[in-house]
Amino acid sequence: MRHEIRGVSLVRGPGSADEFWSCVGVDLHLEPDATDGRRAGLERALRDAVRDGRLSPGTRLPATRRLAADLGVSRGTTKAVYDQLVAEGYLTARQGSGTRVAQVPSQAVAAADDTPRARAPRLDLRPGSPDVGAFPAAAWLRALRRAIATAPSRAYDYGDPRGRIELRTALSGYLGRARGVIAPPERIVITSGYVQGLALLTRVLDGGAVAMEDPGLPFHRDVVRHNGGSVVPLPVDERGACADHAGDWADASAVVVTPAHQYPTGVTLHPRRRRALTDWARARGGLVVEDDYDGEFRYDRQPVGALQGMAPGHVAYLGTASKTLGPALRLGWMVLPPHLVDAVADAKLHSDHHTESIGQLALAELVDSHAYDRHIRACRLRYRRRRDQLLDRLGARWNARGIAAGLHALVDVPDEEAVVARAEAEGLAVGRLGDHWHTAGQDRPQGLVVGYGTPRERAYPEALEVLGRVLGESSRG
């Protein structure tokens, strides 16, 4: 049997092809040109692959014996090529670690020039992320092992766009028990996070107007617009979204709210406004989209139940593991009114077919074993301590709002631009309330959105110290 690779002849004995191709340890695609000889052609092909970046620094190459067998040349030829490129500085060879691609100086310079990166802040008190250092790696690994050990073979095939039934069943029990959500498994759709859920709903609504809280997260407004919807501001005051006030929002086809802990003001939606929202949905045939992004983290009283429990036929409940476990998992869920399930599942099918299955099975195991509950309770205690440290550092001089729940606080300041500039000079990143208004204006309230979930445990005290110093300097200024 004969194979040709750009002038290199590969000769195999009868019946040996399967054995040969199955035993090669490291795959390496090369196209050596043997016009000038086998060694010269292989040498040039390897050198070009390193120069072009197709073989990145640190890449391990096959052993000389394997590469020789792969290309149908002698081992002496491949060894001579490796030795030559080691001498030229393209490769490195160490006893016990094999031959690897070296860091070529010109590559390092090109990488630095071609991929500019913003400098990360030394200390980070921006909102939006949990303490990812607290990810329950041991519990997740146990759940993953059990899930893989018991998963049927079909779990590795294409799946239901609604998600694995194991996770939908586990979430049905958990959401009903912990958040008061009416969530039969057949009405749950698993997503890769809140953003995908919001995008899918916007598409299903076919480009209608969507009322969104003002202030609110600007990226979520961008998601709605990117998926064909238009955005109408829904004002927020000390009682939450002003759903009991007349306004342009009432003509929208959907309303997106954060009832348990409004983002970024931190207020809880007043019971009267909850009723007003559900009454609006029933009367207009509209949809309320409930973003329950951190509903598990309530510190000074019992958690506020989900709005969905008041009108399950008119509220789409969206939750995620991003704040409880970590954003990297890309696992979220929607509990939908019955009339939207098929349409959303079809939109999901044509978006990414389905969310990856193995992570779903692991999360189902974590929920069913109550390890998820234990982790949330531990996080709740940790974040409450952090919130208390923040309040102690602010003292009576600075007013912090939205502190009964969640992973951030809104700190009132007279001039947020000046405070943020001082913080940046100290290497501290904080959020600005001004970034969250639908329309910027000088008459808007000023504030810092301070996230106490993001920093690692060891960095948090220093971050608070710098924040206190920056606020003190702003006060004197």
Side-chain angles (χ1 to χ4, degrees), residues 142-188:
R142 287 193 296 270
L144 189 60
R145 284 172 173 165
R146 286 193 292 266
I148 291 177
T150 59
S153 59
R154 62 180 178 276
Y156 301 96
D157 203 345
Y158 294 106
D160 189 332
R162 295 175 300 171
R164 294 292 307 180
I165 187 59
E166 295 91 340
L167 179 56
R168 291 189 283 127
T169 301
L171 287 172
S172 176
Y174 171 77
L175 294 173
R177 167 172 53 83
R179 301 296 299 126
V181 177
I182 299 172
E186 63 272 14
R187 285 170 50 187
I188 297 177

Side-chain angles (χ1 to χ4, degrees), residues 343-417:
V344 171
D346 184 69
K348 170 73 173 172
L349 175 67
H350 290 89
S351 174
D352 63 356
H353 201 293
H354 68 100
T355 301
E356 66 90 12
S357 298
I358 306 306
Q360 293 186 56
L361 294 174
L363 181 56
E365 176 64 33
L366 205 69
V367 172
D368 285 338
S369 67
H370 299 293
Y372 190 67
D373 290 79
R374 291 191 293 272
H375 171 70
I376 288 176
R377 287 196 296 271
C379 288
R380 191 179 295 139
L381 178 60
R382 180 185 303 110
Y383 293 139
R384 177 170 183 167
R385 288 171 178 166
R386 288 193 180 190
R387 183 210 61 174
D388 292 346
Q389 287 177 269
L390 172 64
L391 296 180
D392 288 344
R393 191 66 187 83
L394 293 175
R397 171 66 181 84
W398 301 97
N399 179 47
R401 294 186 278 149
I403 58 175
L407 303 179
H408 75 274
L410 179 61
V411 181
D412 295 326
V413 295
D415 187 349
E416 66 184 35
E417 291 285 357

Side-chain angles (χ1 to χ4, degrees), residues 461-475:
E462 184 183 2
L464 290 184
E465 182 65 27
V466 173
L467 177 64
R469 184 165 65 247
V470 166
L471 289 173
E473 292 171 356
S474 301
S475 178

Side-chain angles (χ1 to χ4, degrees), residues 30-356:
L30 291 174
E31 295 184 354
D33 187 345
T35 303
D36 297 328
R38 292 184 176 184
R39 173 179 167 179
L42 177 56
E43 192 176 294
R44 187 180 302 110
L46 261 176
R47 188 185 293 111
D48 290 346
V50 174
R51 284 174 173 171
D52 296 344
R54 287 180 284 122
L55 292 178
S56 58
T59 299
R60 184 169 182 172
L61 300 183
T64 55
R65 186 186 304 276
R66 291 292 187 191
L67 185 60
D70 188 5
L71 297 180
V73 298
S74 69
R75 185 186 180 193
T77 298
T78 56
K79 187 177 187 306
V81 169
Y82 277 14
D83 289 345
Q84 178 62 32
L85 294 184
V86 167
E88 294 179 12
Y90 287 98
L91 305 179
T92 61
R94 293 183 181 178
Q95 187 69 29
S97 63
T99 304
R100 296 179 182 271
V101 177
Q103 174 70 63
V104 180
S106 60
Q107 287 179 323
V109 173
D113 291 341
D114 295 342
T115 55
R117 296 178 183 179
R119 185 176 180 182
R122 185 171 62 89
L123 300 166
D124 197 346
L125 287 176
R126 289 174 294 187
S129 293
D131 179 4
V132 294
F135 180 80
W140 181 260
L141 185 58
R142 287 193 296 270
L144 189 60
R145 284 172 173 165
R146 286 193 292 266
I148 291 177
T150 59
S153 59
R154 62 180 178 276
Y156 301 96
D157 203 345
Y158 294 106
D160 189 332
R162 295 175 300 171
R164 294 292 307 180
I165 187 59
E166 295 91 340
L167 179 56
R168 291 189 283 127
T169 301
L171 287 172
S172 176
Y174 171 77
L175 294 173
R177 167 172 53 83
R179 301 296 299 126
V181 177
I182 299 172
E186 63 272 14
R187 285 170 50 187
I188 297 177
V189 173
I190 305 301
T191 67
S192 63
Y194 172 79
V195 167
Q196 186 184 44
L198 181 60
L200 293 174
L201 284 172
T202 305
R203 292 177 210 166
V204 167
L205 294 174
D206 199 21
V210 179
M212 305 185 76
E213 294 171 328
D214 187 16
L217 195 63
F219 179 64
H220 290 172
R221 298 195 290 269
D222 291 342
V223 170
V224 169
R225 295 187 181 108
H226 185 75
N227 287 276
S230 59
V231 176
V232 179
L234 173 60
V236 172
D237 60 18
E238 68 279 358
R239 292 189 170 188
C242 298
D244 55 349
H245 297 176
D248 294 339
W249 72 270
D251 294 326
S253 57
V255 177
V256 181
V257 289
T258 50
H261 189 233
Q262 199 276 332
Y263 188 85
T265 66
V267 299
T268 300
L269 189 62
H270 191 274
R272 188 175 71 185
R273 292 186 176 174
R274 288 181 165 231
R275 290 192 296 272
L277 264 180
T278 54
D279 289 347
W280 166 85
R282 291 188 181 98
R284 297 290 189 96
L287 177 70
V288 178
V289 180
E290 179 175 13
D291 178 5
D292 196 30
Y293 68 100
D294 63 0
E296 289 92 345
F297 299 124
R298 196 141 196 105
Y299 311 122
D300 296 328
R301 61 182 179 182
Q302 287 294 317
V304 176
L307 175 66
Q308 190 264 5
M310 297 177 61
H314 299 275
V315 178
Y317 173 93
L318 275 65
T320 172
S322 293
K323 300 299 186 296
T324 54
L325 293 174
L329 294 181
R330 307 315 304 142
L331 286 171
W333 44 86
M334 294 187 284
V335 183
L336 299 167
H339 68 281
L340 288 179
V341 174
D342 289 342
V344 171
D346 184 69
K348 170 73 173 172
L349 175 67
H350 290 89
S351 174
D352 63 356
H353 201 293
H354 68 100
T355 301
E356 66 90 12

